[in-house]
Amino acid sequence: APAAGPQDLLIAVKAESDAAAGEALARVDALLQVRRTGGEQDFRPRSLASALKMLPEARWVLISVPGRHAAGVAEEALDHGRNVFLYSDNVPIESEVALKRKARERGLLVLGPDCGTAVIGGMRFGFANRVRRGPVGLIGASGTGLQAVMSHLHTLGSGISQAIGTGGRDLAAEVGGITALQALDLLRRDPETEVIVLISKPPAREVAARLLGLARSAGKPVVVYFLGAPLPGRRIGNLRFAASLSEAAELAIQIPAVPGVPGVPVSGHLRGLFSGGTLAQEVLLGLSAVLPPESYQILDLGDDEYTVGRLHPMIDQDLRLRLLRQEAADPQISLILLDVVLGEGSHADPAGELAPAIEEARSRRPELEVAALVIGTDEDPQDLRHQIETLERAGARVFRTAGELVDFATQRLPESEESGKPVPLEPVRGAINVGLESFYDSLVAQGTPAVQVEWKPPAGGNETLAAILARMKSA
Amino acid sequence: APAAGPQDLLIAVKAESDAAAGEALARVDALLQVRRTGGEQDFRPRSLASALKMLPEARWVLISVPGRHAAGVAEEALDHGRNVFLYSDNVPIESEVALKRKARERGLLVLGPDCGTAVIGGMRFGFANRVRRGPVGLIGASGTGLQAVMSHLHTLGSGISQAIGTGGRDLAAEVGGITALQALDLLRRDPETEVIVLISKPPAREVAARLLGLARSAGKPVVVYFLGAPLPGRRIGNLRFAASLSEAAELAIQIPAVPGVPGVPVSGHLRGLFSGGTLAQEVLLGLSAVLPPESYQILDLGDDEYTVGRLHPMIDQDLRLRLLRQEAADPQISLILLDVVLGEGSHADPAGELAPAIEEARSRRPELEVAALVIGTDEDPQDLRHQIETLERAGARVFRTAGELVDFATQRLPESEESGKPVPLEPVRGAINVGLESFYDSLVAQGTPAVQVEWKPPAGGNETLAAILARMKSA
C-alpha cells in the first residue's frame, strides 16, 4: 500500500476480539462503499490526492475553483494521470497551453478552461441536457452551443455518444486546438460514434485547416459549424458545413453514415490560375478550409495587378499560358487548377488554346494533374461539349462547379502530423469534484461514484505562503 | 426637328425629279434601317450625342473606354436620359458615387464601373452566357459570379429574367448599394421575375442590412450568397442563404415562389438578454443581417463583464430579472428576447422566475412583446413542457431554435426609406457602344439595334485641352 500522507484518514481499530475488529472493518468498508456509489458523502477529503485514494477508479476530475487556483489543481490531476473537466474561467492562456501539452503527452484530456458542458460515456459534467445515447459525437468550443445541438438531436429523435467541450480558446492560434484534435481522434476511434459534429466560434485560420484536415480523413461524416465564419461550401468530401446550431443537428441525422472519398496523402503543392475573380475566391475559400496555407496558391489573373496594359484573361490567355508552362515545369507543383469561362464576349476557343500546353506539361511530368472548372451553357458560342472534350483529351479533369473542383483538389491531403498519445476509450467509473457543490450533486444524481473535495485556497488564500508551500512540495 | 450639331450627318438631296428624290430618300432610310437592325454599321458617329440621334430608341449605353475617361462618357449618357453599362475599371469611387446618385434621381441605372456582365430584357451586355429566359432575376456585384449562377440555372433546366451587374464596389459603404437597391426594387416589380438571386462579395455591414431589409419585404423569395461572409442561418422569412454559387442556383429553383410572412413595419427597438453566449451570438448574427444596427442590442449576461462576483446567469437570474424590468419600462423598447437553457446544472425553474416579471411588464405595456428561445429536452429536470407553458401563460412567444426566434424578430421591419425614382420596366430596343468592338459585335450578333461610337479621347488625349473643352461645354 502507498505510504499515508498528511491529508489521509488513518483508521486504527483496537478491538476486544477478532470478530469485533472484523465487524468494525466491514463497517468502514461499507461506509466507503456508500461514498463511492454516490450516497451522501459524509467524509470530505481536503485534497485531490486523498480523494483519489478514496476513489482510485475515478478517471475524471471536475474543477470549478476560482481561476487563479484552477491551473494548479488541474496540473495535480494530470500528474495523477486523470482527465480534467475545467469549468473555471480566468485561467491564463499560458497555463491552458501548458496543461494541454502535458495532457496530450500523457494521453489525457483537459476540457476547458471555461468549459461548461461535457457528456463523457453518458455522464454529464457541468451544464448538460438529459438526452438519449445515440450515434452522434459532439465536439464544441462553446457550452450552450453543445447544449443546443444535443437538445435538438434529442428532440429530433436521435442521441449522442459523447459531447466533448474544449473551452472557448482551444481553437485560438496559441492553443492550436490541442483538445479539439484529441477529441476528433477519440471520436473517430469510438465505435459508438457514427457521425461527428464539430461546433465552435471561428477558429484561427491555421487551426481550422489542421482540424478540418484531420476531420477530412476521419473515415466518418463530420458536420462542421463555425459560428460567424464564412462557409467554404456545403460539402467537402466527408465534411458537411452547417449554417446554424439547429442545422448542424439536422445534418447529423440526415446524412448517411457513409464517408465521402477518403483523403489521400499527396506531396506537392497546388496552383490555381484563374480568369474569374469570384470563381478564384470561391475555390480559395474551399481550399483554405482544409489545406495547410503553404500548400496552395490561387492567382486571380483578372485582378488589376495583372491586367494593366493587357486585355482581361477571359479574352486574352497569353499570360495564363505562360504561367501554366512555368508552374507545370516546377517539380514542387503537383496540381494545377484552371477556370474556363465561356459565353458572349469571352475568347472564342479557350480550351483549344489551353489544351496543347496541358498536354505538353503532362507528357513531361505525367504525375502532374490538371483540373478545370468550366462555366458555360450548351448554347454558348464556344460549344460547351467541344470545350470539355478538348480539355479532357489533353488530360485535364473537368468539373462544373467550384464545389466539385474543391472536393477533388482536397482529396489530396498533406501527411497527417503526430497528434500525441491517443486518449484511451474508457467508461467513466467515477469522478472527483473540486469546486461548485451543484456539480457534485449532479454526479450523485446520475449515479456516478463521486467524491467532493473540501477545497480551500492553498494557505487559506495567502498567496505568499501558498508559493512557499508549492516550492516545498516540488522540492 | 432638333437643330443639327457639328457631329451630325447632313444629307442633302438634289434630284432631277421628285421621284428620283423620293427614291434617294428611301435609300437613305433603308441604310439607316440597316444600322438600326444590327447589320454592319458603315457610318460611325464620333460622339455619343450623334449616336443617340441615329438610334434615339437606344435606352442603354455600353462604356468600356479607359477608366479616366469613362465617368465623363457615363455622365453624358445619364444627361441624355440613358442607362449605363460601365465595363471600364479604374474609375474613382467618388465618380461612381456621383454617377449613381444622379442615376437614382432620374430613375436610371449605372451598372458598374467594372461591371462585366448584364442581361437586360434578354439582351446580353459584356461577358454573358446564352441562357434561356426564365423566372430567376439575378443581381450581382461580381461578373463571373453572375455567369456561374446563370449557367448553372440553365444547366438545371431553368432560366433568367434579368441579370443586373452592379460593379464590385456598389455594396461598399461609400456607394451604399445604390444600384443593388434599385435593381432589387426593379426585380420585385418585374412580373417575369418570380425568384431573386443576390450575389456579392461581403457588403459593408450597414449596406447589407439595408439591402436585405428591402429584400425582406420584396414579396418574392430572395436567395442570398455573400461569398466569404458568415451565413446568418439558412432562412430568414423570404430570404434563403446559400453557401456557394451553385447552391444559389439550386435554391432558386427548389424553393416554391411563395414568399414567407412579409415584414411588418414596427417602430421601437429590440433588446436581447441572453444567458448563453453562443445563443446570443447566433441570434445577433441573424438580426444584424437584416435589421439596422441602431435598432437592436443583444447582451450576453454570461460574459465576463457581467459575471465578476456573480454566478452564471444560467444559475442565478437576478441581474437578468433586474435588466428585464428596466428594459420593459423603456417606451423605446418594443421587443425583448430571452433564452432559457434547461438541463443538469442549470437553475431549477428559470421560467418560474421570469414569468412574473414578463407578466407585470406586459400588463403595464401591452404593446411590448417578449420572445423566448427554450433549449432543453423532455427528460431535463426542469420539465420542458411546464417551462414552455409558464412562459406562454405569462405572454411570451416561445421558440425552439435561434433561427425561428430570428425569423419572428425580423418580421418587424423598420419603415423603408425613400429609394429614389423607380427605374421603369422597359424592353431593350437598342444600345450604343462606346469602347471595345467585341461588345458591339455581340450586340449585333444578338440582333439588337446598335451603334458603335468611333470614340477618341477628348482633345486627342491631351488632358489640359480636354479640361478647357469641358469648361467651355459646361459654360
Side-chain angles (χ1 to χ4, degrees), chain A residues 59-215:
Chain A
R59 300 281 309 146
W60 282 88
V61 178
L62 284 61
I63 301 169
S64 50
V65 301
R68 66 184 182 285
H69 302 299
V73 181
E75 190 169 10
E76 201 184 336
L78 293 176
D79 287 338
H80 281 99
R82 267 37 178 221
N83 300 293
V84 171
F85 172 83
L86 187 50
Y87 175 81
S88 314
D89 52 11
N90 292 313
V91 173
I93 195 159
E94 309 79 49
S95 304
E96 176 170 354
V97 172
L99 288 170
K100 289 188 167 180
R101 287 194 179 149
K102 179 177 266 198
R104 181 174 56 185
E105 277 166 28
R106 303 184 180 193
L108 296 170
L109 290 169
V110 172
L111 311 187
D114 206 9
C115 178
T117 297
V119 183
I120 306 290
M123 285 303 128
R124 296 179 289 280
F125 297 157
F127 299 109
N129 299 89
R130 294 190 186 163
V131 304
R132 71 182 75 75
R133 289 190 81 146
V136 185
L138 309 182
I139 303 170
S142 122
T144 47
L146 280 178
Q147 289 194 261
V149 173
M150 69 175 77
S151 294
H152 200 52
L153 280 168
H154 179 91
T155 303
L156 296 171
S158 186
I160 67 168
S161 55
Q162 320 271 354
I164 305 177
T166 65
R169 286 184 314 214
D170 187 65
L171 300 183
E174 295 94 321
V175 186
I178 294 177
T179 304
L181 287 163
Q182 288 179 295
L184 196 52
D185 176 62
L186 186 78
L187 292 184
R188 76 172 169 177
R189 286 183 283 113
D190 178 16
E192 212 187 322
T193 300
E194 293 169 20
V195 179
I196 298 169
V197 174
L198 172 63
I199 60 176
S200 167
K201 279 166 280 188
R205 190 178 151 220
E206 65 275 26
V207 179
R210 210 178 312 150
L211 192 59
L212 296 191
L214 182 64

Side-chain angles (χ1 to χ4, degrees), chain A residues 128 130 142 225 278 282 377, chain B residues 130 142 225 278 282 344 377 380:
Chain A
R130 294 190 186 163
S142 122
Y225 175 49
T278 304
E282 187 162 286
T377 75
Chain B
R130 293 188 186 165
S142 121
Y225 175 49
T278 304
E282 187 162 287
E344 215 77 69
T377 75
D380 279 333

Side-chain angles (χ1 to χ4, degrees), chain B residues 411-451:
Chain B
Q411 281 166 25
R412 313 148 29 81
L413 292 174
E415 311 280 344
S416 63
E417 17 175 358
E418 195 48 60
S419 60
K421 194 174 162 192
V423 178
L425 288 158
E426 54 188 2
V428 174
R429 293 203 197 84
I432 309 294
N433 187 54
V434 191
L436 287 178
E437 287 270 345
S438 60
F439 289 174
Y440 170 72
D441 295 342
S442 166
L443 290 170
V444 171
Q446 294 176 68
T448 310
V451 171

Side-chain angles (χ1 to χ4, degrees), chain B residues 79 151 285 302 309 316 319 369 397:
Chain B
D79 287 338
S151 294
L285 194 62
D316 177 348
L319 174 64
E369 292 194 275
R397 294 286 303 263

Side-chain angles (χ1 to χ4, degrees), chain A residues 148-149 152-153 156 197 223 244-254:
Chain A
V149 173
H152 200 52
L153 280 168
L156 296 171
V197 174
V223 177
S244 68
L245 294 165
S246 55
E247 200 193 30
E250 287 153 19
L251 286 178
I253 61 171
Q254 277 163 18

Side-chain angles (χ1 to χ4, degrees), chain A residues 249-402:
Chain A
E250 287 153 19
L251 286 178
I253 61 171
Q254 277 163 18
I255 55 179
V258 177
V261 181
V264 182
V266 173
S267 61
H269 290 185
L270 181 165
R271 284 288 177 281
L273 303 173
F274 279 76
S275 61
T278 304
L279 303 176
Q281 280 177 53
E282 187 162 286
V283 168
L284 183 60
L285 194 62
L287 298 179
S288 64
V290 290
L291 295 182
E294 67 281 3
S295 70
Y296 58 86
Q297 193 185 14
I298 302 289
L299 302 184
D300 169 12
L301 302 177
D303 199 56
D304 288 351
E305 60 173 311
Y306 297 106
T307 54
V308 175
R310 205 181 262 128
L311 283 172
H312 193 280
M314 275 161 60
I315 306 174
D316 177 348
Q317 299 195 101
D318 281 357
L319 174 64
R320 177 146 82 156
L321 287 164
R322 186 141 44 85
L323 290 171
L324 175 55
R325 290 196 187 91
Q326 183 182 314
E327 299 289 0
D330 180 348
Q332 295 266 345
I333 304 295
S334 60
L335 173 60
I336 293 177
L337 306 182
L338 304 166
D339 64 342
V340 174
V341 182
L342 309 180
E344 215 77 68
S346 283
H347 190 282
D349 182 17
E353 267 194 350
L354 291 166
I358 295 169
E359 214 158 348
E360 189 194 329
R362 283 179 48 85
S363 74
R364 290 189 189 182
R365 291 184 53 221
E367 76 282 12
L368 177 75
E369 292 193 276
V370 178
L373 168 59
V374 176
I375 300 294
T377 75
D378 53 6
E379 296 182 14
D380 279 333
Q382 292 89 349
D383 188 345
L384 174 66
R385 233 179 82 177
H386 179 68
Q387 293 290 315
I388 291 175
E389 284 170 2
T390 303
L391 290 166
E392 286 179 339
R393 260 201 312 273
R397 294 286 302 263
V398 173
F399 300 94
R400 302 301 313 283
T401 67

